[in-house]
Structure formats: structure tokens, C-alpha cells
Short mmCIF file of all heavy atoms in Angstrom, two decimals:
data_model
loop_
_atom_site.label_atom_id
_atom_site.label_comp_id
_atom_site.label_asym_id
_atom_site.label_seq_id
_atom_site.Cartn_x
_atom_site.Cartn_y
_atom_site.Cartn_z
N PHE A 1 0.84 -1.19 0.00
CA PHE A 1 0.00 0.00 0.00
C PHE A 1 0.88 1.24 0.00
O PHE A 1 1.78 1.38 0.84
CB PHE A 1 -0.92 0.02 1.23
CG PHE A 1 -2.01 -1.01 1.19
CD1 PHE A 1 -1.72 -2.35 1.43
CD2 PHE A 1 -3.32 -0.65 0.90
CE1 PHE A 1 -2.73 -3.31 1.40
CE2 PHE A 1 -4.32 -1.60 0.86
CZ PHE A 1 -4.02 -2.93 1.11
N ILE A 2 0.62 2.14 -0.93
CA ILE A 2 1.42 3.36 -1.04
C ILE A 2 0.49 4.58 -1.03
O ILE A 2 -0.71 4.46 -1.29
CB ILE A 2 2.29 3.36 -2.31
CG1 ILE A 2 1.41 3.29 -3.56
CG2 ILE A 2 3.29 2.20 -2.27
CD1 ILE A 2 2.19 3.37 -4.86
N TYR A 3 1.05 5.73 -0.73
CA TYR A 3 0.24 6.95 -0.66
C TYR A 3 0.35 7.80 -1.93
O TYR A 3 -0.47 8.68 -2.16
CB TYR A 3 0.67 7.80 0.54
CG TYR A 3 0.31 7.17 1.86
CD1 TYR A 3 1.24 6.40 2.57
CD2 TYR A 3 -0.96 7.33 2.41
CE1 TYR A 3 0.91 5.81 3.78
CE2 TYR A 3 -1.30 6.74 3.62
CZ TYR A 3 -0.36 6.00 4.30
OH TYR A 3 -0.68 5.41 5.50
N ASP A 4 1.35 7.53 -2.73
CA ASP A 4 1.62 8.36 -3.90
C ASP A 4 1.99 7.45 -5.07
O ASP A 4 2.91 6.62 -4.95
CB ASP A 4 2.77 9.33 -3.58
CG ASP A 4 3.03 10.34 -4.68
OD1 ASP A 4 2.56 10.11 -5.81
OD2 ASP A 4 3.72 11.33 -4.41
N ALA A 5 1.30 7.59 -6.19
CA ALA A 5 1.56 6.74 -7.36
C ALA A 5 3.01 6.86 -7.85
O ALA A 5 3.55 5.92 -8.43
CB ALA A 5 0.60 7.10 -8.49
N GLU A 6 3.63 8.01 -7.60
CA GLU A 6 5.01 8.22 -8.06
C GLU A 6 6.00 7.31 -7.33
O GLU A 6 7.14 7.14 -7.79
CB GLU A 6 5.38 9.68 -7.89
CG GLU A 6 4.59 10.61 -8.83
CD GLU A 6 4.94 12.07 -8.65
OE1 GLU A 6 5.61 12.41 -7.65
OE2 GLU A 6 4.55 12.88 -9.51
N GLU A 7 5.59 6.74 -6.19
CA GLU A 7 6.47 5.81 -5.47
C GLU A 7 6.78 4.57 -6.30
O GLU A 7 7.82 3.93 -6.11
CB GLU A 7 5.82 5.37 -4.16
CG GLU A 7 5.78 6.40 -3.06
CD GLU A 7 5.22 5.81 -1.77
OE1 GLU A 7 5.71 4.76 -1.33
OE2 GLU A 7 4.25 6.40 -1.23
N ILE A 8 5.88 4.21 -7.21
CA ILE A 8 6.01 2.94 -7.94
C ILE A 8 7.31 2.90 -8.74
O ILE A 8 8.02 1.88 -8.75
CB ILE A 8 4.78 2.72 -8.84
CG1 ILE A 8 3.54 2.49 -7.97
CG2 ILE A 8 4.99 1.53 -9.78
CD1 ILE A 8 2.24 2.35 -8.73
N GLU A 9 7.65 4.00 -9.40
CA GLU A 9 8.88 4.02 -10.19
C GLU A 9 10.12 4.01 -9.31
O GLU A 9 11.19 3.58 -9.75
CB GLU A 9 8.90 5.24 -11.10
CG GLU A 9 7.88 5.17 -12.24
CD GLU A 9 8.10 6.23 -13.29
OE1 GLU A 9 9.28 6.46 -13.64
OE2 GLU A 9 7.13 6.83 -13.76
N LYS A 10 10.01 4.46 -8.08
CA LYS A 10 11.16 4.55 -7.18
C LYS A 10 11.37 3.29 -6.36
O LYS A 10 12.42 3.13 -5.73
CB LYS A 10 10.97 5.74 -6.22
CG LYS A 10 10.79 7.08 -6.90
CD LYS A 10 10.41 8.16 -5.90
CE LYS A 10 10.11 9.48 -6.60
NZ LYS A 10 9.62 10.52 -5.65
N ARG A 11 10.39 2.40 -6.37
CA ARG A 11 10.47 1.20 -5.52
C ARG A 11 10.26 -0.06 -6.36
O ARG A 11 9.16 -0.60 -6.44
CB ARG A 11 9.43 1.28 -4.40
CG ARG A 11 9.69 2.38 -3.39
CD ARG A 11 8.58 2.43 -2.34
NE ARG A 11 8.36 1.12 -1.72
CZ ARG A 11 7.31 0.84 -0.94
NH1 ARG A 11 6.38 1.76 -0.73
NH2 ARG A 11 7.17 -0.36 -0.42
N PRO A 12 11.29 -0.56 -6.99
CA PRO A 12 11.16 -1.74 -7.85
C PRO A 12 10.66 -2.98 -7.11
O PRO A 12 10.10 -3.89 -7.73
CB PRO A 12 12.57 -1.96 -8.40
CG PRO A 12 13.47 -1.19 -7.48
CD PRO A 12 12.67 -0.04 -6.98
N GLU A 13 10.83 -3.03 -5.78
CA GLU A 13 10.37 -4.19 -5.02
C GLU A 13 8.85 -4.33 -5.06
O GLU A 13 8.31 -5.42 -4.80
CB GLU A 13 10.85 -4.11 -3.57
CG GLU A 13 10.19 -3.05 -2.70
CD GLU A 13 10.87 -1.68 -2.78
OE1 GLU A 13 11.69 -1.48 -3.71
OE2 GLU A 13 10.58 -0.83 -1.92
N LEU A 14 8.14 -3.24 -5.39
CA LEU A 14 6.68 -3.30 -5.49
C LEU A 14 6.22 -4.21 -6.63
O LEU A 14 5.08 -4.66 -6.63
CB LEU A 14 6.10 -1.90 -5.69
CG LEU A 14 6.14 -0.95 -4.48
CD1 LEU A 14 5.76 0.46 -4.91
CD2 LEU A 14 5.20 -1.45 -3.39
N LEU A 15 7.09 -4.46 -7.58
CA LEU A 15 6.74 -5.29 -8.72
C LEU A 15 7.01 -6.78 -8.47
O LEU A 15 6.71 -7.62 -9.31
CB LEU A 15 7.49 -4.84 -9.97
CG LEU A 15 6.87 -3.67 -10.76
CD1 LEU A 15 6.81 -2.42 -9.91
CD2 LEU A 15 7.66 -3.40 -12.03
N GLU A 16 7.56 -7.09 -7.30
CA GLU A 16 7.88 -8.47 -6.98
C GLU A 16 6.63 -9.24 -6.54
O GLU A 16 5.62 -8.64 -6.15
CB GLU A 16 8.93 -8.51 -5.85
CG GLU A 16 10.27 -7.89 -6.23
CD GLU A 16 10.93 -8.61 -7.38
OE1 GLU A 16 10.89 -9.86 -7.38
OE2 GLU A 16 11.47 -7.94 -8.28
N PRO A 17 6.67 -10.58 -6.58
CA PRO A 17 5.53 -11.38 -6.11
C PRO A 17 5.26 -11.12 -4.62
O PRO A 17 6.14 -10.66 -3.89
CB PRO A 17 5.99 -12.82 -6.34
CG PRO A 17 7.07 -12.73 -7.37
CD PRO A 17 7.75 -11.41 -7.14
N VAL A 18 4.05 -11.41 -4.19
CA VAL A 18 3.66 -11.24 -2.79
C VAL A 18 3.71 -12.58 -2.08
O VAL A 18 3.16 -13.57 -2.58
CB VAL A 18 2.24 -10.65 -2.68
CG1 VAL A 18 1.83 -10.48 -1.21
CG2 VAL A 18 2.15 -9.32 -3.42
N ASP A 19 4.36 -12.62 -0.93
CA ASP A 19 4.36 -13.83 -0.10
C ASP A 19 3.09 -13.79 0.77
O ASP A 19 2.99 -13.02 1.71
CB ASP A 19 5.60 -13.87 0.79
CG ASP A 19 5.68 -15.15 1.63
OD1 ASP A 19 4.70 -15.92 1.61
OD2 ASP A 19 6.70 -15.35 2.30
N TYR A 20 2.13 -14.64 0.43
CA TYR A 20 0.83 -14.61 1.10
C TYR A 20 0.73 -15.59 2.27
O TYR A 20 -0.35 -15.71 2.86
CB TYR A 20 -0.28 -14.92 0.09
CG TYR A 20 -0.77 -13.69 -0.63
CD1 TYR A 20 -0.49 -13.50 -1.98
CD2 TYR A 20 -1.52 -12.72 0.02
CE1 TYR A 20 -0.95 -12.37 -2.66
CE2 TYR A 20 -1.98 -11.59 -0.63
CZ TYR A 20 -1.69 -11.43 -1.97
OH TYR A 20 -2.14 -10.31 -2.62
N LYS A 21 1.79 -16.27 2.64
CA LYS A 21 1.70 -17.29 3.68
C LYS A 21 1.13 -16.72 4.98
O LYS A 21 0.16 -17.24 5.54
CB LYS A 21 3.07 -17.92 3.92
CG LYS A 21 3.01 -19.06 4.93
CD LYS A 21 4.37 -19.71 5.11
CE LYS A 21 4.28 -20.84 6.14
NZ LYS A 21 5.61 -21.50 6.35
N GLU A 22 1.73 -15.63 5.47
CA GLU A 22 1.26 -15.05 6.73
C GLU A 22 -0.13 -14.43 6.56
O GLU A 22 -1.00 -14.61 7.42
CB GLU A 22 2.24 -13.98 7.22
CG GLU A 22 1.83 -13.39 8.56
CD GLU A 22 2.74 -12.27 9.03
OE1 GLU A 22 3.52 -11.74 8.20
OE2 GLU A 22 2.66 -11.90 10.21
N ALA A 23 -0.34 -13.70 5.46
CA ALA A 23 -1.63 -13.03 5.24
C ALA A 23 -2.78 -14.02 5.21
O ALA A 23 -3.85 -13.78 5.77
CB ALA A 23 -1.59 -12.23 3.94
N HIS A 24 -2.58 -15.16 4.56
CA HIS A 24 -3.66 -16.13 4.46
C HIS A 24 -3.86 -16.92 5.75
O HIS A 24 -4.97 -17.41 6.01
CB HIS A 24 -3.42 -17.04 3.27
CG HIS A 24 -3.74 -16.37 1.97
ND1 HIS A 24 -3.50 -16.94 0.74
CD2 HIS A 24 -4.31 -15.16 1.69
CE1 HIS A 24 -3.90 -16.11 -0.23
NE2 HIS A 24 -4.38 -15.03 0.34
N GLU A 25 -2.82 -17.01 6.59
CA GLU A 25 -3.01 -17.57 7.93
C GLU A 25 -3.86 -16.62 8.78
O GLU A 25 -4.73 -17.05 9.53
CB GLU A 25 -1.65 -17.82 8.60
CG GLU A 25 -0.93 -19.05 8.12
CD GLU A 25 -1.70 -20.33 8.42
OE1 GLU A 25 -2.23 -20.45 9.54
OE2 GLU A 25 -1.77 -21.19 7.52
N ILE A 26 -3.58 -15.33 8.65
CA ILE A 26 -4.37 -14.32 9.36
C ILE A 26 -5.82 -14.37 8.87
O ILE A 26 -6.76 -14.31 9.67
CB ILE A 26 -3.77 -12.91 9.14
CG1 ILE A 26 -2.40 -12.81 9.81
CG2 ILE A 26 -4.72 -11.83 9.68
CD1 ILE A 26 -1.62 -11.56 9.43
N LEU A 27 -5.99 -14.47 7.56
CA LEU A 27 -7.34 -14.55 6.98
C LEU A 27 -8.11 -15.74 7.54
O LEU A 27 -9.29 -15.62 7.92
CB LEU A 27 -7.24 -14.65 5.45
CG LEU A 27 -8.56 -14.90 4.70
CD1 LEU A 27 -9.60 -13.83 5.03
CD2 LEU A 27 -8.30 -14.95 3.19
N LYS A 28 -7.47 -16.87 7.62
CA LYS A 28 -8.13 -18.07 8.15
C LYS A 28 -8.59 -17.85 9.58
O LYS A 28 -9.73 -18.19 9.95
CB LYS A 28 -7.14 -19.25 8.08
CG LYS A 28 -7.73 -20.57 8.51
CD LYS A 28 -6.67 -21.68 8.35
CE LYS A 28 -7.23 -23.01 8.84
NZ LYS A 28 -6.20 -24.10 8.70
N ARG A 29 -7.72 -17.25 10.40
CA ARG A 29 -8.05 -17.00 11.81
C ARG A 29 -9.16 -15.95 11.96
O ARG A 29 -10.11 -16.13 12.72
CB ARG A 29 -6.78 -16.54 12.54
CG ARG A 29 -6.98 -16.30 14.02
CD ARG A 29 -5.67 -15.94 14.69
NE ARG A 29 -5.15 -14.65 14.28
CZ ARG A 29 -4.03 -14.47 13.59
NH1 ARG A 29 -3.29 -15.51 13.21
NH2 ARG A 29 -3.61 -13.25 13.28
N GLU A 30 -9.04 -14.85 11.20
CA GLU A 30 -10.02 -13.77 11.30
C GLU A 30 -11.38 -14.19 10.73
O GLU A 30 -12.42 -13.76 11.22
CB GLU A 30 -9.50 -12.54 10.55
CG GLU A 30 -8.31 -11.87 11.22
CD GLU A 30 -8.68 -11.14 12.50
OE1 GLU A 30 -9.85 -10.75 12.64
OE2 GLU A 30 -7.80 -10.97 13.36
N ARG A 31 -11.37 -15.01 9.70
CA ARG A 31 -12.63 -15.51 9.14
C ARG A 31 -13.38 -16.35 10.18
O ARG A 31 -14.60 -16.20 10.35
CB ARG A 31 -12.34 -16.35 7.89
CG ARG A 31 -13.58 -16.96 7.26
CD ARG A 31 -13.20 -17.86 6.10
NE ARG A 31 -12.79 -17.10 4.94
CZ ARG A 31 -11.87 -17.49 4.06
NH1 ARG A 31 -11.24 -18.65 4.25
NH2 ARG A 31 -11.57 -16.76 3.02
N LYS A 32 -12.65 -17.19 10.87
CA LYS A 32 -13.27 -18.03 11.91
C LYS A 32 -13.88 -17.15 13.00
O LYS A 32 -15.02 -17.40 13.45
CB LYS A 32 -12.21 -18.97 12.51
CG LYS A 32 -12.75 -19.92 13.56
CD LYS A 32 -11.64 -20.84 14.06
CE LYS A 32 -12.18 -21.79 15.14
NZ LYS A 32 -11.10 -22.69 15.64
N HIS A 33 -13.15 -16.12 13.43
CA HIS A 33 -13.64 -15.22 14.47
C HIS A 33 -14.89 -14.47 14.02
O HIS A 33 -15.88 -14.38 14.76
CB HIS A 33 -12.54 -14.22 14.84
CG HIS A 33 -13.03 -13.06 15.64
ND1 HIS A 33 -13.44 -13.16 16.95
CD2 HIS A 33 -13.22 -11.75 15.29
CE1 HIS A 33 -13.84 -11.97 17.38
NE2 HIS A 33 -13.72 -11.10 16.40
N ALA A 34 -14.87 -13.92 12.79
CA ALA A 34 -15.99 -13.13 12.29
C ALA A 34 -17.25 -13.97 12.16
O ALA A 34 -18.35 -13.55 12.56
CB ALA A 34 -15.63 -12.51 10.94
N LYS A 35 -17.11 -15.17 11.62
CA LYS A 35 -18.27 -16.04 11.43
C LYS A 35 -18.85 -16.47 12.77
O LYS A 35 -20.07 -16.54 12.95
CB LYS A 35 -17.87 -17.26 10.58
CG LYS A 35 -17.52 -16.90 9.15
CD LYS A 35 -17.01 -18.09 8.37
CE LYS A 35 -18.11 -19.09 8.08
NZ LYS A 35 -17.66 -20.13 7.15
N LYS A 36 -17.98 -16.75 13.73
CA LYS A 36 -18.43 -17.15 15.07
C LYS A 36 -19.20 -16.01 15.74
O LYS A 36 -20.25 -16.22 16.34
CB LYS A 36 -17.22 -17.55 15.92
CG LYS A 36 -17.56 -18.00 17.34
CD LYS A 36 -16.28 -18.51 18.02
CE LYS A 36 -16.59 -19.01 19.44
NZ LYS A 36 -16.83 -17.90 20.38
N TRP A 37 -18.66 -14.77 15.61
CA TRP A 37 -19.33 -13.62 16.25
C TRP A 37 -20.73 -13.43 15.67
O TRP A 37 -21.70 -13.29 16.43
CB TRP A 37 -18.51 -12.35 16.03
CG TRP A 37 -19.15 -11.16 16.68
CD1 TRP A 37 -18.98 -10.74 17.97
CD2 TRP A 37 -20.08 -10.24 16.09
NE1 TRP A 37 -19.76 -9.62 18.22
CE2 TRP A 37 -20.44 -9.29 17.09
CE3 TRP A 37 -20.64 -10.13 14.82
CZ2 TRP A 37 -21.34 -8.26 16.84
CZ3 TRP A 37 -21.54 -9.09 14.58
CH2 TRP A 37 -21.88 -8.16 15.57
N LEU A 38 -20.85 -13.43 14.34
CA LEU A 38 -22.14 -13.20 13.73
C LEU A 38 -23.12 -14.32 14.08
O LEU A 38 -24.30 -14.06 14.39
CB LEU A 38 -22.00 -13.08 12.21
CG LEU A 38 -23.30 -12.79 11.45
CD1 LEU A 38 -23.96 -11.51 11.94
CD2 LEU A 38 -23.03 -12.72 9.94
N LYS A 39 -22.68 -15.56 14.04
CA LYS A 39 -23.54 -16.69 14.37
C LYS A 39 -24.08 -16.57 15.79
O LYS A 39 -25.28 -16.77 16.04
CB LYS A 39 -22.79 -18.00 14.19
CG LYS A 39 -23.65 -19.26 14.33
CD LYS A 39 -22.82 -20.49 13.94
CE LYS A 39 -23.70 -21.74 13.91
NZ LYS A 39 -24.12 -22.16 15.25
N GLU A 40 -23.21 -16.23 16.73
CA GLU A 40 -23.62 -16.10 18.13
C GLU A 40 -24.60 -14.94 18.30
O GLU A 40 -25.56 -15.04 19.08
CB GLU A 40 -22.39 -15.91 19.02
CG GLU A 40 -21.55 -17.17 19.16
CD GLU A 40 -20.31 -16.94 20.00
OE1 GLU A 40 -20.01 -15.76 20.33
OE2 GLU A 40 -19.63 -17.94 20.33
N MET A 41 -24.38 -13.84 17.60
CA MET A 41 -25.28 -12.70 17.70
C MET A 41 -26.67 -13.03 17.13
O MET A 41 -27.69 -12.62 17.67
CB MET A 41 -24.70 -11.49 16.97
CG MET A 41 -23.50 -10.84 17.65
SD MET A 41 -23.87 -10.14 19.27
CE MET A 41 -23.14 -11.39 20.33
N LEU A 42 -26.69 -13.77 16.03
CA LEU A 42 -27.97 -14.16 15.43
C LEU A 42 -28.75 -15.11 16.35
O LEU A 42 -29.99 -15.10 16.37
CB LEU A 42 -27.74 -14.81 14.07
CG LEU A 42 -27.27 -13.87 12.95
CD1 LEU A 42 -26.80 -14.68 11.75
CD2 LEU A 42 -28.37 -12.90 12.55
N GLU A 43 -28.03 -15.92 17.10
CA GLU A 43 -28.67 -16.90 17.97
C GLU A 43 -29.07 -16.32 19.32
O GLU A 43 -29.94 -16.88 20.01
CB GLU A 43 -27.72 -18.09 18.19
CG GLU A 43 -27.49 -18.93 16.94
CD GLU A 43 -26.40 -19.97 17.15
OE1 GLU A 43 -25.70 -19.91 18.19
OE2 GLU A 43 -26.24 -20.84 16.26
#
């Protein structure tokens, strides 16, 4: 995430692949929490 489009030309690392291992572990955990909260509230 950047604040200025001009950063893209100055930061070649932005064009590299994204390592999603940690992000998708977080997603798995947060998805479980969100679904549990809504289910409990509905019940």
C-alpha cells in the first residue's frame, strides 16, 4: 500500500511477487472469528 503513485517508479520491489503465507493464515483466523461472532449474535 502506497500513498503516492510516483512511489512505484522509485520502488522496484513493489513489482515483486507477494508472499501470502502469513496473510492467508491471518485470513483463516479472522474468518473463523468473524463467522463465530455473527452466528452467536444471530442466535
Side-chain angles (χ1 to χ4, degrees):
F1 289 75
I2 61 176
Y3 291 95
D4 186 343
E6 293 179 347
E7 287 185 52
I8 293 176
E9 290 192 42
K10 302 172 185 175
R11 293 177 53 192
E13 70 274 14
L14 288 170
L15 277 62
E16 297 298 318
V18 180
D19 182 353
Y20 273 110
K21 184 177 180 181
E22 182 184 15
H24 284 174
E25 282 297 317
I26 294 169
L27 173 57
K28 184 178 178 181
R29 182 176 68 245
E30 291 288 335
R31 178 185 286 147
K32 183 178 179 180
H33 166 71
K35 293 175 70 171
K36 180 174 181 286
W37 181 87
L38 182 58
K39 187 172 186 290
E40 289 178 351
M41 289 297 104
L42 290 168
E43 292 172 350

